[in-house]
Amino acid sequence: MTEIVPYPVGITFAATAGTRTVYRFSGAEGLRALSLWFAMSSPDVDAFAGRLVSVPLQDYAYEDFSASAFVCERTPAHILAAPSDLVRITYVVEGTVFVDAAQRSTRVDPGQILAVNLRTPFRFWTEGPTRLATTSIPIRDLRLPPEQLEAVEFTVLERSPVIATWGAVMRALSNAAPDDGTRESELVAHALLDLAQAILSAPVGATRTFRADDALRQRVYDLIEREYADPDLQVSDIARRLRVSTRYVHRLFQDEPLSVARAIRSRRVEAAARAMLLTRRSFEEIAIAVGFGSVDSAHRAFREQIGLTPSAYRRSGGEAEPPG
């Protein structure tokens, strides 16, 4: 069951909502509605637009948040007023997040993870359109040693195979999350907990001890993430940049869910779908901006991946059914 709420008042997030809910936000009213555990603001309040997919998974919460530029701050006052034992594990799908926390400043790029304990004051902000996929897990469930829990106050994790797996799960949940209370929901919750423990318990540097093929494959994904909007990006171009043969790149992806060409196309469709919800531009403009060579090919790819035409997807507020 999915509820679409254009202008929510007093949002109840996924862990207690009991249903997959899509919230849409705009302007000052939308920022106020988002300001529950945090203070939300935007450099351009009137132009602010955002969309939140909130999914209950047993005792956990999954949120897929897309928005124009914003600032999110959790102060000591928020912590006193709304104490929490949750760790929020945020995978940056698109855009860059800048963070101040635990007397440190950093940036988190696409493909990286930011883990923040809600007992820790922090401030993070974006400078443009951003998409974040977040899972909230109680500290007690992580069952980590005290010294590792301390490190979870504020942690930025580099790209690795296990983090790439986390990212793939996050993307999948946005489009096809299981119903709350089902066996599938329970299995996904357990899988997320196992992945979270693996991510947060790995010693510094451990995420980089994988085979050369894994490292090169991750470089391909990173290149696609950075440059999918380049209409000339294709397998041969990627091979040239990485100084390997095209055949070798194809071999790297023979056991992956998508080929390189389909991964590029899928990323463009994701960007186009997001732009259809957060802007008023025509699909023709968006298709060219995200790297498609023609509007016709963009339409076909969008319909195949999303299950709706672009105009129908915009009217639905992003509630597409996976294509059968």
Side-chain angles (χ1 to χ4, degrees), residues 105-171:
S105 298
T106 191
R107 59 181 284 165
V108 191
D109 293 314
Q112 291 184 305
I113 281 179
L114 170 66
V116 175
N117 185 332
L118 289 187
R119 296 174 181 174
T120 303
F122 60 84
R123 178 178 184 269
F124 70 82
W125 67 97
T126 69
E127 296 180 347
T130 307
R131 180 182 172 196
L132 308 175
T134 299
T135 298
S136 298
I137 298 178
I139 293 173
R140 65 181 181 275
D141 287 2
L142 291 171
R143 300 190 298 277
L144 297 175
E147 63 274 12
Q148 289 177 333
L149 282 176
E150 290 178 9
V152 177
E153 282 188 356
F154 169 72
T155 306
V156 176
L157 299 163
E158 299 293 336
R159 301 171 184 87
S160 72
V162 70
I163 288 176
T165 299
W166 180 275
V169 173
M170 294 293 98
R171 290 171 185 264

Short mmCIF file of all heavy atoms in Angstrom, two decimals, residues 105-171:
data_model
loop_
_atom_site.label_atom_id
_atom_site.label_comp_id
_atom_site.label_asym_id
_atom_site.label_seq_id
_atom_site.Cartn_x
_atom_site.Cartn_y
_atom_site.Cartn_z
N SER A 105 35.29 18.52 8.98
CA SER A 105 34.53 18.88 7.79
C SER A 105 34.97 17.98 6.64
O SER A 105 36.15 17.64 6.53
CB SER A 105 34.78 20.35 7.41
OG SER A 105 34.37 21.21 8.44
N THR A 106 34.02 17.60 5.81
CA THR A 106 34.37 16.74 4.69
C THR A 106 33.29 16.85 3.63
O THR A 106 32.28 17.54 3.81
CB THR A 106 34.52 15.27 5.13
OG1 THR A 106 35.11 14.52 4.07
CG2 THR A 106 33.19 14.67 5.52
N ARG A 107 33.49 16.18 2.52
CA ARG A 107 32.48 16.07 1.47
C ARG A 107 32.25 14.60 1.18
O ARG A 107 33.15 13.76 1.32
CB ARG A 107 32.91 16.80 0.20
CG ARG A 107 34.21 16.31 -0.40
CD ARG A 107 34.58 17.12 -1.64
NE ARG A 107 33.76 16.72 -2.78
CZ ARG A 107 33.67 17.45 -3.90
NH1 ARG A 107 34.31 18.60 -4.00
NH2 ARG A 107 32.92 17.03 -4.92
N VAL A 108 31.03 14.29 0.78
CA VAL A 108 30.66 12.92 0.48
C VAL A 108 30.14 12.91 -0.96
O VAL A 108 29.15 13.57 -1.27
CB VAL A 108 29.58 12.40 1.45
CG1 VAL A 108 29.40 10.90 1.30
CG2 VAL A 108 29.92 12.75 2.89
N ASP A 109 30.81 12.16 -1.81
CA ASP A 109 30.49 12.12 -3.23
C ASP A 109 29.63 10.91 -3.58
O ASP A 109 29.50 9.99 -2.76
CB ASP A 109 31.78 12.09 -4.05
CG ASP A 109 32.58 13.39 -3.92
OD1 ASP A 109 31.96 14.46 -4.03
OD2 ASP A 109 33.80 13.33 -3.71
N PRO A 110 29.05 10.89 -4.78
CA PRO A 110 28.26 9.73 -5.18
C PRO A 110 29.04 8.43 -5.05
O PRO A 110 30.21 8.34 -5.41
CB PRO A 110 27.93 10.03 -6.66
CG PRO A 110 27.93 11.51 -6.73
CD PRO A 110 29.02 11.95 -5.80
N GLY A 111 28.38 7.40 -4.51
CA GLY A 111 29.02 6.11 -4.29
C GLY A 111 29.64 5.98 -2.91
O GLY A 111 30.09 4.89 -2.55
N GLN A 112 29.66 7.05 -2.12
CA GLN A 112 30.18 6.99 -0.76
C GLN A 112 29.03 6.94 0.24
O GLN A 112 27.88 7.26 -0.08
CB GLN A 112 31.07 8.19 -0.46
CG GLN A 112 32.38 8.20 -1.22
CD GLN A 112 33.26 9.37 -0.82
OE1 GLN A 112 32.84 10.52 -0.87
NE2 GLN A 112 34.48 9.07 -0.42
N ILE A 113 29.38 6.55 1.47
CA ILE A 113 28.39 6.45 2.54
C ILE A 113 28.77 7.38 3.68
O ILE A 113 29.94 7.48 4.05
CB ILE A 113 28.28 5.00 3.06
CG1 ILE A 113 27.43 4.16 2.10
CG2 ILE A 113 27.68 4.94 4.46
CD1 ILE A 113 27.30 2.71 2.51
N LEU A 114 27.78 8.05 4.24
CA LEU A 114 27.93 8.85 5.45
C LEU A 114 27.12 8.18 6.56
O LEU A 114 25.92 7.96 6.41
CB LEU A 114 27.42 10.28 5.23
CG LEU A 114 27.30 11.16 6.47
CD1 LEU A 114 28.67 11.45 7.05
CD2 LEU A 114 26.57 12.45 6.14
N ALA A 115 27.78 7.79 7.63
CA ALA A 115 27.10 7.21 8.79
C ALA A 115 27.15 8.21 9.93
O ALA A 115 28.23 8.69 10.30
CB ALA A 115 27.76 5.90 9.20
N VAL A 116 25.99 8.55 10.48
CA VAL A 116 25.91 9.54 11.56
C VAL A 116 25.04 9.00 12.68
O VAL A 116 23.92 8.54 12.45
CB VAL A 116 25.33 10.88 11.05
CG1 VAL A 116 25.15 11.84 12.20
CG2 VAL A 116 26.24 11.49 10.00
N ASN A 117 25.55 9.06 13.90
CA ASN A 117 24.78 8.74 15.09
C ASN A 117 23.95 9.97 15.45
O ASN A 117 24.48 11.08 15.57
CB ASN A 117 25.77 8.40 16.22
CG ASN A 117 25.09 7.93 17.47
OD1 ASN A 117 23.95 8.29 17.74
ND2 ASN A 117 25.78 7.13 18.26
N LEU A 118 22.63 9.80 15.61
CA LEU A 118 21.77 10.96 15.88
C LEU A 118 21.99 11.56 17.26
O LEU A 118 21.36 12.55 17.61
CB LEU A 118 20.31 10.59 15.67
CG LEU A 118 19.89 10.37 14.22
CD1 LEU A 118 18.38 10.19 14.13
CD2 LEU A 118 20.31 11.52 13.33
N ARG A 119 22.88 10.96 18.06
CA ARG A 119 23.27 11.60 19.32
C ARG A 119 24.34 12.67 19.07
O ARG A 119 24.73 13.39 20.00
CB ARG A 119 23.83 10.56 20.29
CG ARG A 119 22.81 9.51 20.72
CD ARG A 119 23.49 8.43 21.56
NE ARG A 119 22.55 7.39 21.97
CZ ARG A 119 22.92 6.28 22.60
NH1 ARG A 119 24.19 6.07 22.89
NH2 ARG A 119 22.01 5.38 22.93
N THR A 120 24.82 12.77 17.84
CA THR A 120 25.90 13.69 17.49
C THR A 120 25.35 14.91 16.76
O THR A 120 24.65 14.76 15.75
CB THR A 120 26.92 12.98 16.58
OG1 THR A 120 27.41 11.82 17.23
CG2 THR A 120 28.09 13.91 16.24
N PRO A 121 25.65 16.13 17.20
CA PRO A 121 25.25 17.31 16.42
C PRO A 121 25.99 17.33 15.08
O PRO A 121 27.15 16.93 14.99
CB PRO A 121 25.69 18.49 17.30
CG PRO A 121 25.91 17.91 18.66
CD PRO A 121 26.34 16.50 18.45
N PHE A 122 25.32 17.75 14.04
CA PHE A 122 25.98 17.84 12.74
C PHE A 122 25.23 18.84 11.86
O PHE A 122 24.09 19.23 12.14
CB PHE A 122 26.05 16.48 12.05
CG PHE A 122 24.70 15.84 11.79
CD1 PHE A 122 23.96 16.17 10.67
CD2 PHE A 122 24.19 14.90 12.68
CE1 PHE A 122 22.73 15.58 10.43
CE2 PHE A 122 22.95 14.31 12.45
CZ PHE A 122 22.22 14.65 11.32
N ARG A 123 25.90 19.24 10.81
CA ARG A 123 25.31 20.11 9.80
C ARG A 123 25.78 19.60 8.44
O ARG A 123 26.96 19.37 8.25
CB ARG A 123 25.74 21.56 10.00
CG ARG A 123 25.21 22.54 8.96
CD ARG A 123 25.68 23.96 9.30
NE ARG A 123 25.12 24.95 8.42
CZ ARG A 123 25.71 25.37 7.28
NH1 ARG A 123 26.89 24.86 6.94
NH2 ARG A 123 25.13 26.28 6.52
N PHE A 124 24.85 19.38 7.53
CA PHE A 124 25.29 19.07 6.17
C PHE A 124 24.43 19.83 5.18
O PHE A 124 23.31 20.25 5.47
CB PHE A 124 25.32 17.56 5.91
CG PHE A 124 23.99 16.86 5.82
CD1 PHE A 124 23.25 16.87 4.65
CD2 PHE A 124 23.52 16.12 6.90
CE1 PHE A 124 22.05 16.20 4.56
CE2 PHE A 124 22.31 15.44 6.82
CZ PHE A 124 21.58 15.48 5.65
N TRP A 125 25.01 20.05 4.02
CA TRP A 125 24.33 20.87 3.03
C TRP A 125 24.71 20.41 1.62
O TRP A 125 25.71 19.72 1.42
CB TRP A 125 24.66 22.35 3.22
CG TRP A 125 26.08 22.73 2.94
CD1 TRP A 125 26.59 23.26 1.80
CD2 TRP A 125 27.18 22.64 3.86
NE1 TRP A 125 27.94 23.49 1.93
CE2 TRP A 125 28.32 23.12 3.18
CE3 TRP A 125 27.30 22.18 5.18
CZ2 TRP A 125 29.58 23.15 3.78
CZ3 TRP A 125 28.56 22.21 5.78
CH2 TRP A 125 29.67 22.70 5.09
N THR A 126 23.89 20.81 0.66
CA THR A 126 24.14 20.51 -0.74
C THR A 126 24.10 21.82 -1.52
O THR A 126 23.51 22.81 -1.05
CB THR A 126 23.12 19.53 -1.32
OG1 THR A 126 21.84 20.19 -1.39
CG2 THR A 126 22.99 18.30 -0.43
N GLU A 127 24.69 21.81 -2.69
CA GLU A 127 24.73 23.03 -3.50
C GLU A 127 23.94 22.88 -4.79
O GLU A 127 23.97 23.75 -5.65
CB GLU A 127 26.19 23.39 -3.80
CG GLU A 127 26.98 23.74 -2.54
CD GLU A 127 28.41 24.09 -2.82
OE1 GLU A 127 28.88 23.83 -3.96
OE2 GLU A 127 29.08 24.63 -1.91
N GLY A 128 23.24 21.78 -4.94
CA GLY A 128 22.45 21.53 -6.13
C GLY A 128 21.59 20.30 -5.94
O GLY A 128 21.52 19.74 -4.84
N PRO A 129 20.92 19.83 -7.00
CA PRO A 129 20.06 18.65 -6.88
C PRO A 129 20.83 17.45 -6.34
O PRO A 129 21.94 17.17 -6.77
CB PRO A 129 19.59 18.42 -8.32
CG PRO A 129 19.68 19.76 -8.96
CD PRO A 129 20.88 20.41 -8.35
N THR A 130 20.21 16.76 -5.40
CA THR A 130 20.87 15.66 -4.70
C THR A 130 19.86 14.55 -4.44
O THR A 130 18.68 14.82 -4.22
CB THR A 130 21.45 16.14 -3.35
OG1 THR A 130 22.27 17.28 -3.58
CG2 THR A 130 22.27 15.05 -2.68
N ARG A 131 20.36 13.31 -4.47
CA ARG A 131 19.51 12.18 -4.10
C ARG A 131 20.25 11.36 -3.07
O ARG A 131 21.40 10.96 -3.28
CB ARG A 131 19.18 11.31 -5.31
CG ARG A 131 18.30 10.11 -4.96
CD ARG A 131 18.04 9.24 -6.17
NE ARG A 131 17.35 8.01 -5.79
CZ ARG A 131 17.26 6.94 -6.56
NH1 ARG A 131 17.81 6.94 -7.77
NH2 ARG A 131 16.63 5.85 -6.15
N LEU A 132 19.59 11.11 -1.93
CA LEU A 132 20.18 10.37 -0.81
C LEU A 132 19.29 9.19 -0.44
O LEU A 132 18.07 9.34 -0.33
CB LEU A 132 20.32 11.29 0.41
CG LEU A 132 21.04 12.64 0.20
CD1 LEU A 132 20.98 13.47 1.47
CD2 LEU A 132 22.48 12.41 -0.23
N ALA A 133 19.90 8.03 -0.25
CA ALA A 133 19.16 6.84 0.20
C ALA A 133 19.65 6.49 1.59
O ALA A 133 20.84 6.22 1.79
CB ALA A 133 19.39 5.69 -0.77
N THR A 134 18.75 6.49 2.56
CA THR A 134 19.14 6.37 3.97
C THR A 134 18.40 5.23 4.65
O THR A 134 17.19 5.05 4.46
CB THR A 134 18.85 7.68 4.73
OG1 THR A 134 19.61 8.74 4.14
CG2 THR A 134 19.21 7.55 6.20
N THR A 135 19.12 4.48 5.47
CA THR A 135 18.51 3.50 6.36
C THR A 135 18.84 3.88 7.79
O THR A 135 19.99 4.18 8.11
CB THR A 135 19.04 2.08 6.07
OG1 THR A 135 18.69 1.72 4.74
CG2 THR A 135 18.44 1.08 7.03
N SER A 136 17.84 3.88 8.65
CA SER A 136 18.03 4.19 10.07
C SER A 136 17.92 2.90 10.87
O SER A 136 16.93 2.17 10.76
CB SER A 136 16.97 5.18 10.56
OG SER A 136 17.09 6.41 9.85
N ILE A 137 18.96 2.61 11.69
CA ILE A 137 19.02 1.37 12.45
C ILE A 137 19.35 1.70 13.91
O ILE A 137 20.27 2.48 14.17
CB ILE A 137 20.09 0.42 11.88
CG1 ILE A 137 19.73 0.03 10.44
CG2 ILE A 137 20.25 -0.82 12.74
CD1 ILE A 137 20.76 -0.87 9.78
N PRO A 138 18.63 1.14 14.87
CA PRO A 138 18.98 1.38 16.28
C PRO A 138 20.39 0.90 16.60
O PRO A 138 20.82 -0.15 16.12
CB PRO A 138 17.94 0.55 17.05
CG PRO A 138 16.80 0.40 16.09
CD PRO A 138 17.42 0.32 14.73
N ILE A 139 21.10 1.66 17.42
CA ILE A 139 22.48 1.32 17.78
C ILE A 139 22.56 -0.08 18.39
O ILE A 139 23.46 -0.85 18.09
CB ILE A 139 23.05 2.37 18.75
CG1 ILE A 139 23.20 3.72 18.05
CG2 ILE A 139 24.39 1.93 19.32
CD1 ILE A 139 23.59 4.85 18.98
N ARG A 140 21.58 -0.40 19.24
CA ARG A 140 21.63 -1.69 19.95
C ARG A 140 21.63 -2.86 18.98
O ARG A 140 22.23 -3.91 19.25
CB ARG A 140 20.46 -1.79 20.92
CG ARG A 140 19.09 -1.83 20.24
CD ARG A 140 17.94 -1.90 21.22
NE ARG A 140 16.67 -1.96 20.52
CZ ARG A 140 16.01 -0.87 20.11
NH1 ARG A 140 16.53 0.33 20.32
NH2 ARG A 140 14.85 -1.00 19.47
N ASP A 141 20.95 -2.70 17.82
CA ASP A 141 20.86 -3.81 16.87
C ASP A 141 22.17 -4.05 16.14
O ASP A 141 22.41 -5.15 15.62
CB ASP A 141 19.75 -3.54 15.86
CG ASP A 141 18.37 -3.71 16.45
OD1 ASP A 141 18.28 -3.98 17.66
OD2 ASP A 141 17.37 -3.54 15.71
N LEU A 142 23.02 -3.02 16.07
CA LEU A 142 24.28 -3.18 15.34
C LEU A 142 25.26 -4.10 16.06
O LEU A 142 26.14 -4.69 15.44
CB LEU A 142 24.93 -1.81 15.12
CG LEU A 142 24.18 -0.89 14.14
CD1 LEU A 142 24.77 0.50 14.16
CD2 LEU A 142 24.25 -1.47 12.72
N ARG A 143 25.12 -4.19 17.39
CA ARG A 143 25.96 -5.09 18.19
C ARG A 143 27.46 -4.91 17.89
O ARG A 143 28.19 -5.87 17.64
CB ARG A 143 25.54 -6.55 18.00
CG ARG A 143 24.10 -6.83 18.40
CD ARG A 143 23.81 -8.31 18.43
NE ARG A 143 23.96 -8.95 17.14
CZ ARG A 143 23.04 -8.95 16.18
NH1 ARG A 143 21.87 -8.36 16.38
NH2 ARG A 143 23.26 -9.57 15.04
N LEU A 144 27.90 -3.67 17.89
CA LEU A 144 29.30 -3.36 17.64
C LEU A 144 30.03 -3.12 18.95
O LEU A 144 29.43 -2.62 19.92
CB LEU A 144 29.44 -2.12 16.75
CG LEU A 144 28.86 -2.23 15.34
CD1 LEU A 144 28.97 -0.89 14.64
CD2 LEU A 144 29.57 -3.31 14.55
N PRO A 145 31.33 -3.41 19.04
CA PRO A 145 32.11 -3.11 20.24
C PRO A 145 32.10 -1.61 20.52
O PRO A 145 31.94 -0.80 19.60
CB PRO A 145 33.53 -3.59 19.88
CG PRO A 145 33.34 -4.56 18.77
CD PRO A 145 32.13 -4.10 18.02
N PRO A 146 32.28 -1.20 21.79
CA PRO A 146 32.21 0.22 22.15
C PRO A 146 33.13 1.12 21.32
O PRO A 146 32.73 2.22 20.92
CB PRO A 146 32.62 0.23 23.63
CG PRO A 146 32.27 -1.14 24.11
CD PRO A 146 32.49 -2.06 22.96
N GLU A 147 34.35 0.65 21.03
CA GLU A 147 35.28 1.50 20.29
C GLU A 147 34.80 1.73 18.85
O GLU A 147 35.04 2.80 18.27
CB GLU A 147 36.69 0.89 20.28
CG GLU A 147 36.81 -0.46 19.58
CD GLU A 147 36.50 -1.64 20.49
OE1 GLU A 147 35.95 -1.40 21.58
OE2 GLU A 147 36.80 -2.78 20.10
N GLN A 148 34.08 0.75 18.28
CA GLN A 148 33.57 0.94 16.94
C GLN A 148 32.30 1.80 16.94
O GLN A 148 32.06 2.55 16.00
CB GLN A 148 33.32 -0.42 16.28
CG GLN A 148 34.61 -1.15 15.93
CD GLN A 148 34.36 -2.51 15.33
OE1 GLN A 148 33.34 -3.14 15.60
NE2 GLN A 148 35.31 -2.99 14.55
N LEU A 149 31.51 1.68 18.01
CA LEU A 149 30.34 2.55 18.12
C LEU A 149 30.75 4.01 18.22
O LEU A 149 30.09 4.89 17.68
CB LEU A 149 29.51 2.16 19.35
CG LEU A 149 28.63 0.92 19.20
CD1 LEU A 149 27.94 0.61 20.51
CD2 LEU A 149 27.60 1.13 18.10
N GLU A 150 31.86 4.28 18.91
CA GLU A 150 32.34 5.65 19.01
C GLU A 150 32.69 6.19 17.63
O GLU A 150 32.44 7.35 17.31
CB GLU A 150 33.57 5.73 19.92
CG GLU A 150 33.24 5.49 21.39
CD GLU A 150 34.49 5.53 22.26
OE1 GLU A 150 35.57 5.89 21.74
OE2 GLU A 150 34.38 5.20 23.45
N ALA A 151 33.28 5.34 16.79
CA ALA A 151 33.66 5.76 15.44
C ALA A 151 32.44 6.07 14.58
O ALA A 151 32.53 6.82 13.60
CB ALA A 151 34.52 4.69 14.78
N VAL A 152 31.29 5.49 14.93
CA VAL A 152 30.09 5.68 14.14
C VAL A 152 29.47 7.06 14.38
O VAL A 152 28.53 7.45 13.71
CB VAL A 152 29.07 4.56 14.44
CG1 VAL A 152 27.75 4.76 13.70
CG2 VAL A 152 29.65 3.22 14.05
N GLU A 153 30.01 7.83 15.33
CA GLU A 153 29.49 9.18 15.53
C GLU A 153 29.44 9.95 14.22
O GLU A 153 28.52 10.69 13.94
CB GLU A 153 30.36 9.96 16.53
CG GLU A 153 30.12 9.59 17.97
CD GLU A 153 30.87 10.52 18.91
OE1 GLU A 153 31.61 11.38 18.41
OE2 GLU A 153 30.72 10.37 20.12
N PHE A 154 30.48 9.76 13.41
CA PHE A 154 30.57 10.50 12.16
C PHE A 154 31.60 9.78 11.29
O PHE A 154 32.79 9.84 11.55
CB PHE A 154 31.01 11.94 12.45
CG PHE A 154 31.38 12.72 11.20
CD1 PHE A 154 30.41 13.13 10.32
CD2 PHE A 154 32.70 13.04 10.94
CE1 PHE A 154 30.75 13.84 9.19
CE2 PHE A 154 33.05 13.77 9.82
CZ PHE A 154 32.06 14.17 8.93
N THR A 155 31.14 9.07 10.28
CA THR A 155 32.03 8.25 9.47
C THR A 155 31.69 8.42 8.00
O THR A 155 30.52 8.33 7.61
CB THR A 155 31.90 6.76 9.84
OG1 THR A 155 32.08 6.61 11.24
CG2 THR A 155 32.93 5.92 9.10
N VAL A 156 32.71 8.66 7.18
CA VAL A 156 32.54 8.66 5.73
C VAL A 156 33.30 7.45 5.19
O VAL A 156 34.49 7.29 5.46
CB VAL A 156 33.08 9.95 5.10
CG1 VAL A 156 32.98 9.86 3.58
CG2 VAL A 156 32.31 11.16 5.61
N LEU A 157 32.60 6.60 4.47
CA LEU A 157 33.18 5.36 3.98
C LEU A 157 33.41 5.43 2.48
O LEU A 157 32.51 5.84 1.72
CB LEU A 157 32.26 4.19 4.32
CG LEU A 157 32.04 3.99 5.83
CD1 LEU A 157 30.84 3.12 6.08
CD2 LEU A 157 33.28 3.38 6.46
N GLU A 158 34.61 5.03 2.06
CA GLU A 158 34.96 5.07 0.65
C GLU A 158 34.24 3.96 -0.12
O GLU A 158 33.69 3.03 0.46
CB GLU A 158 36.48 4.91 0.49
CG GLU A 158 37.28 6.02 1.16
CD GLU A 158 37.09 7.36 0.49
OE1 GLU A 158 36.73 7.38 -0.71
OE2 GLU A 158 37.31 8.39 1.15
N ARG A 159 34.29 4.06 -1.44
CA ARG A 159 33.67 3.06 -2.29
C ARG A 159 34.36 1.71 -2.13
O ARG A 159 35.57 1.65 -1.98
CB ARG A 159 33.75 3.51 -3.75
CG ARG A 159 33.06 4.84 -4.02
CD ARG A 159 33.37 5.31 -5.43
NE ARG A 159 32.81 6.63 -5.70
CZ ARG A 159 33.43 7.76 -5.43
NH1 ARG A 159 34.64 7.74 -4.90
NH2 ARG A 159 32.88 8.92 -5.71
N SER A 160 33.58 0.65 -2.16
CA SER A 160 34.09 -0.71 -2.04
C SER A 160 33.01 -1.65 -2.57
O SER A 160 31.87 -1.23 -2.77
CB SER A 160 34.40 -1.04 -0.57
OG SER A 160 33.19 -1.18 0.16
N PRO A 161 33.33 -2.93 -2.77
CA PRO A 161 32.29 -3.85 -3.24
C PRO A 161 31.09 -3.94 -2.30
O PRO A 161 29.95 -3.98 -2.75
CB PRO A 161 33.05 -5.19 -3.33
CG PRO A 161 34.45 -4.80 -3.63
CD PRO A 161 34.67 -3.54 -2.82
N VAL A 162 31.33 -3.98 -0.99
CA VAL A 162 30.20 -4.10 -0.07
C VAL A 162 29.36 -2.82 -0.08
O VAL A 162 28.13 -2.87 0.03
CB VAL A 162 30.68 -4.45 1.37
CG1 VAL A 162 31.40 -3.28 2.02
CG2 VAL A 162 29.49 -4.88 2.23
N ILE A 163 30.00 -1.67 -0.23
CA ILE A 163 29.25 -0.42 -0.31
C ILE A 163 28.50 -0.32 -1.63
O ILE A 163 27.37 0.18 -1.70
CB ILE A 163 30.19 0.78 -0.08
CG1 ILE A 163 30.60 0.82 1.41
CG2 ILE A 163 29.53 2.09 -0.48
CD1 ILE A 163 31.60 1.88 1.76
N ALA A 164 29.10 -0.82 -2.71
CA ALA A 164 28.39 -0.88 -3.98
C ALA A 164 27.15 -1.76 -3.87
O ALA A 164 26.09 -1.45 -4.43
CB ALA A 164 29.32 -1.40 -5.08
N THR A 165 27.26 -2.86 -3.12
CA THR A 165 26.10 -3.74 -2.88
C THR A 165 25.02 -3.00 -2.11
O THR A 165 23.83 -3.08 -2.43
CB THR A 165 26.54 -4.99 -2.10
OG1 THR A 165 27.51 -5.70 -2.86
CG2 THR A 165 25.35 -5.90 -1.82
N TRP A 166 25.45 -2.27 -1.08
CA TRP A 166 24.49 -1.46 -0.30
C TRP A 166 23.76 -0.48 -1.22
O TRP A 166 22.54 -0.34 -1.15
CB TRP A 166 25.24 -0.71 0.80
CG TRP A 166 24.37 0.15 1.66
CD1 TRP A 166 23.98 1.43 1.41
CD2 TRP A 166 23.77 -0.20 2.91
NE1 TRP A 166 23.18 1.90 2.42
CE2 TRP A 166 23.03 0.92 3.36
CE3 TRP A 166 23.79 -1.35 3.70
CZ2 TRP A 166 22.34 0.93 4.56
CZ3 TRP A 166 23.08 -1.34 4.89
CH2 TRP A 166 22.37 -0.21 5.31
N GLY A 167 24.53 0.19 -2.08
CA GLY A 167 23.92 1.15 -3.00
C GLY A 167 22.91 0.51 -3.93
O GLY A 167 21.84 1.08 -4.20
N ALA A 168 23.22 -0.69 -4.44
CA ALA A 168 22.29 -1.39 -5.32
C ALA A 168 20.99 -1.73 -4.59
O ALA A 168 19.89 -1.61 -5.15
CB ALA A 168 22.94 -2.66 -5.87
N VAL A 169 21.11 -2.15 -3.34
CA VAL A 169 19.92 -2.46 -2.54
C VAL A 169 19.09 -1.20 -2.31
O VAL A 169 17.86 -1.21 -2.42
CB VAL A 169 20.31 -3.12 -1.20
CG1 VAL A 169 19.08 -3.29 -0.31
CG2 VAL A 169 20.99 -4.46 -1.43
N MET A 170 19.77 -0.08 -2.02
CA MET A 170 19.07 1.18 -1.80
C MET A 170 18.27 1.59 -3.03
O MET A 170 17.10 2.00 -2.93
CB MET A 170 20.07 2.28 -1.45
CG MET A 170 20.81 2.12 -0.12
SD MET A 170 19.74 2.26 1.35
CE MET A 170 19.44 0.53 1.71
N ARG A 171 18.88 1.49 -4.19
CA ARG A 171 18.18 1.86 -5.43
C ARG A 171 16.97 0.96 -5.66
O ARG A 171 15.90 1.43 -6.06
CB ARG A 171 19.13 1.76 -6.62
CG ARG A 171 20.24 2.81 -6.66
CD ARG A 171 21.22 2.43 -7.77
NE ARG A 171 22.37 3.30 -7.81
CZ ARG A 171 22.51 4.35 -8.60
NH1 ARG A 171 21.52 4.69 -9.40
NH2 ARG A 171 23.60 5.09 -8.59
#
